[in-house]
Amino acid sequence: MGTNLNPSRPSIARTALRLVLLSDTHGLHREIDVPAGDILIHAGDFTMFSRSPAEITDFNTWLGELPHRFKGIVPGNHEFFLEADPTERSVLSNATVLINEGIEIEGLRLWGSPVTPMYGGAFGLSSAKDRERLYAQIPEDIDVLISHGPPYGILDLGPGSHLHQGCPELLDAVMRVRPKLHVFGHIHGAYGVFQTEHTTFVNASLLGLHGDLDRAPFVFEMTGR
């Protein structure tokens, strides 16, 4: 079962869409009890360093077995195969892969990026100026922002750590855009929800600190425009 969030805004014209949120499954996707929903969002690290082509193929097969009408994927720092050749996204034929781009689904506007400040990981962008230029491309009318890593200071601390691992430039972009929902992962120990006046932040990392999937996907209901 999923963890339910319900900050949906009333709408006469549209029915609320049920979003299922998860991240950082690292090849253990078949162990997940996936809640029913309309839209499935995976915020990256669905492989373990992209070492197993069979694992990637099975992840795509698993996606195709799920009933959700739309599946959106943002790669993570483990998805080296997509960083090396973005055309390899065709391997994930049962989902839409977002690499610094957006899409509109049933009136809901999504934008996704795999970039983190992490040096040496896939899609790592260590230059703050480069990240600032990238995030300046995020449209101001999006409803859902999907990134692999967290914004600075929000669900970005590991257990017992005082070192914030989120991105300051991403935080600036979120404060500018004010999406209804920002979903991410990357920091496994910071799984949870944080809400502000404008945005619900969800760290949907499912991989536990002992290498198993000991958390449930989140469920979020919201309406499109």
Side-chain angles (χ1 to χ4, degrees):
M1 297 295 292
T3 302
N4 282 283
L5 312 170
N6 192 17
S8 57
R9 293 161 172 77
S11 173
I12 296 174
R14 292 184 181 274
T15 302
L17 295 170
R18 185 176 168 94
L19 283 65
V20 177
L21 315 174
L22 61 158
S23 185
D24 295 80
T25 52
H26 292 286
L28 302 177
H29 43 273
R30 292 203 177 269
E31 298 182 12
I32 305 168
D33 182 8
V34 182
D38 304 298
I39 296 174
L40 180 121
I41 294 174
H42 195 300
D45 278 3
F46 52 88
T47 70
M48 187 61 76
F49 298 108
S50 302
R51 287 189 294 229
S52 171
E55 178 182 271
I56 297 168
T57 299
D58 185 66
F59 178 69
N60 184 59
T61 301
W62 174 77
L63 288 171
E65 294 167 356
L66 298 176
H68 308 75
R69 297 197 299 273
F70 174 81
K71 294 115 178 176
I73 307 292
V74 164
N77 57 286
H78 279 245
E79 274 71 75
F80 289 97
F81 79 104
L82 287 171
E83 182 188 47
D85 183 3
T87 65
E88 285 291 307
R89 70 175 75 192
S90 63
V91 173
L92 300 175
S93 59
N94 291 316
T96 297
V97 179
L98 298 175
I99 302 177
N100 303 320
E101 58 195 311
I103 191 171
E104 182 170 335
I105 303 296
E106 300 187 32
L108 211 59
R109 296 173 180 172
L110 296 78
W111 197 92
S113 174
V115 167
T116 71
M118 184 178 180
Y119 179 79
F123 299 100
L125 201 58
S126 56
S127 166
K129 285 293 184 183
D130 287 344
R131 295 195 304 273
E132 183 179 355
R133 281 191 289 269
L134 170 64
Y135 295 138
Q137 301 173 22
I138 303 175
E140 295 191 1
D141 61 352
I142 63 165
D143 301 296
V144 181
L145 177 62
I146 312 161
S147 61
H148 179 56
Y152 182 86
I154 298 178
L155 301 173
D156 68 340
L157 289 173
S161 173
H162 300 287
L163 177 64
H164 290 285
Q165 300 182 60
C167 175
E169 292 71 35
L170 181 58
L171 176 63
D172 289 344
V174 173
M175 295 300 102
R176 170 180 62 85
V177 173
R178 294 180 175 179
K180 296 176 186 176
L181 172 66
H182 182 189
V183 55
F184 48 87
H186 189 47
I187 309 302
H188 299 170
Y191 170 89
V193 179
F194 179 79
Q195 291 184 294
T196 66
E197 179 183 358
H198 302 288
T199 303
T200 298
F201 297 87
V202 178
N203 182 325
S205 300
L206 300 192
L207 192 72
L209 299 178
H210 301 291
D212 55 351
L213 298 185
D214 60 0
R215 296 103 176 232
F218 287 98
V219 177
F220 186 96
E221 292 185 356
M222 63 190 301
T223 55
R225 296 173 184 268

